[in-house]
Amino acid sequence: MTLRQDRRLALGGLAATALSAALPGVARGQAAWPNRPVTVVCPWGAGGGTDATARIVAAILEKNLKQPFNVVNRTGGSGVVGHSAIATAPADGYTIGMITVEITMMHHQGLTELNPTSYTPLALMNVDPPGVQVNSASPYKTIKALADAIKAAPAGKFKASGTGQGGIWHLALIGWLQAMGLKPDHVAWVPSNGAAPAMQDLAAGGIDIVTCSVPEAKAMIDAGKAVSLAVMAPQRNPQFANVPTLNESLGISYSVGAWRGIAAPKGLPADIATKLTAELKKAYDSPEFQDFMKNRGFGTTWADPAAFSKYMDAGDKAMGAAMAAAGLAKKS
């Protein structure tokens, strides 16, 4: 090789280096996302519905994107700890998480300053609306008959349960009562440690109504000890197609639910957000996800980032109003 050829090769190498440096990401040594494991934060404990949903989503993303998606349970503070872990992580796509309905509730209670605008919303994937359950021996066989009886009864005669004071199912009851023009305490709330003990109390005759998701009530319904009269949702759940909506039966469009969606820290780069949403839609549409959710009776509801943001905003306003009406919101 001649000296002139050596010089040409050297100059060509310098030119190639300069060109590569001008290309986005190359000079910084960046590779296409994801090129390393991704953490998926779950604000609730292992074994619960949120954990189960997060893990099936993570498993499908891992299979499709060829990188580990590791679910980490960050519990505590009534959901504050995990939601904070998602919001305060680096906005690089390597920490995402499953945010839940509580993000529209906690700041009204003064537990945190986090709210739905604290995140980059990526996809809504699940909504489980509350059903209105009664004992199978109840004289009220339709939601209209029950609603008429509640309206005619003095305040406190009917007793309901489903969760602790101020929980999502308590707020669901309050919203329904308000939609019927009644005061939020017209039906007395009996706090419980969750839907399961509340349904047991319903079956034993200790309370009149349980507002909780129909999947949570399913065991008692299948045992013939309870029936679901209606769901507080825009449409029926295909898994419980015989249960009508409030709107169908009472002309009340009120709807609410315990929802779960995937979000990232605020400021996530647009290209990563777009890719994540596309992959989440692919996961949502997959037989693995649909079968998993169907087998557990969980509702499947898709919303893209814009629709998810609007959904959370509407829910935040509704939760704030319900909590204020119940005296559960922190006064500013």
Side-chain angles (χ1 to χ4, degrees):
M1 185 177 293
T2 68
L3 181 60
R4 181 174 300 220
Q5 288 173 322
D6 276 344
R7 237 180 122 190
R8 283 179 181 170
L9 284 173
L11 289 171
L14 288 171
T17 301
L19 178 61
S20 67
L23 294 174
V26 175
R28 297 186 298 272
Q30 293 177 348
W33 179 93
N35 65 347
R36 56 187 172 88
V38 177
T39 296
V40 183
V41 177
C42 175
W44 305 101
T50 303
D51 176 70
T53 305
R55 288 182 187 279
I56 185 63
V57 171
I60 297 170
L61 290 175
E62 181 169 313
K63 181 182 73 172
N64 292 343
L65 290 170
K66 312 302 182 187
Q67 286 290 345
F69 278 71
N70 302 314
V71 176
V72 176
N73 300 91
R74 295 291 302 276
T75 61
S78 299
V80 172
V81 171
H83 283 92
S84 296
I86 300 166
T88 59
D92 57 7
Y94 291 97
T95 299
I96 60 176
M98 181 152 274
I99 62 174
T100 61
V101 64
E102 283 76 13
I103 201 61
T104 64
M105 300 164 60
M106 297 184 294
H107 68 102
H108 293 297
Q109 296 171 290
L111 299 177
T112 179
E113 293 183 0
L114 294 173
N115 62 63
T117 66
S118 303
Y119 305 89
T120 298
L122 297 170
L124 174 68
M125 304 191 77
N126 158 248
V127 178
D128 284 319
V132 181
Q133 282 73 228
V134 297
N135 189 298
S136 56
S138 169
Y140 310 111
K141 304 303 180 185
T142 66
I143 192 65
K144 187 177 187 310
L146 177 63
D148 289 345
I150 290 172
K151 290 176 183 178
K157 178 182 178 181
F158 282 87
K159 294 179 174 58
S161 188
T163 187
Q165 186 84 3
I168 180 60
W169 302 141
H170 183 198
L171 297 182
L173 173 71
I174 290 170
W176 175 38
L177 293 174
Q178 290 180 306
M180 292 195 295
L182 299 172
K183 292 183 178 180
D185 60 351
H186 189 83
V187 171
W189 187 256
V190 179
S192 72
N193 289 324
M199 288 300 298
Q200 292 169 0
D201 200 7
L202 181 74
I207 53 176
D208 306 296
I209 304 164
V210 168
T211 47
C212 71
S213 69
V214 184
E216 290 175 305
K218 187 175 184 295
M220 284 295 180
I221 293 172
D222 290 347
K225 296 180 179 180
V227 293
S228 186
L229 300 182
V231 289
M232 303 180 195
Q235 61 274 325
R236 298 188 184 198
N237 183 337
Q239 307 309 316
F240 306 99
N242 63 324
V243 182
T245 67
L246 290 180
N247 196 28
E248 288 178 76
S249 305
L250 302 178
I252 293 175
S253 61
Y254 176 74
S255 62
V256 70
W259 55 260
R260 303 175 179 109
I262 300 294
K266 201 168 184 177
L268 184 70
D271 58 335
I272 298 177
T274 298
K275 185 172 182 178
L276 260 168
T277 295
E279 290 295 335
L280 288 167
K281 184 63 164 70
K282 191 186 300 182
Y284 177 87
D285 289 334
S286 70
E288 297 103 306
F289 181 79
Q290 293 294 328
D291 290 347
F292 180 91
M293 301 297 275
K294 180 179 178 180
N295 290 339
R296 286 156 180 77
F298 294 159
T300 52
T301 301
W302 170 263
D304 65 17
F308 186 19
S309 182
K310 288 180 65 176
Y311 181 88
M312 288 193 289
D313 183 58
D316 190 69
K317 290 181 173 67
M319 291 295 102
M323 296 178 86
L328 298 169
K330 183 180 179 181
K331 295 180 181 178
S332 55

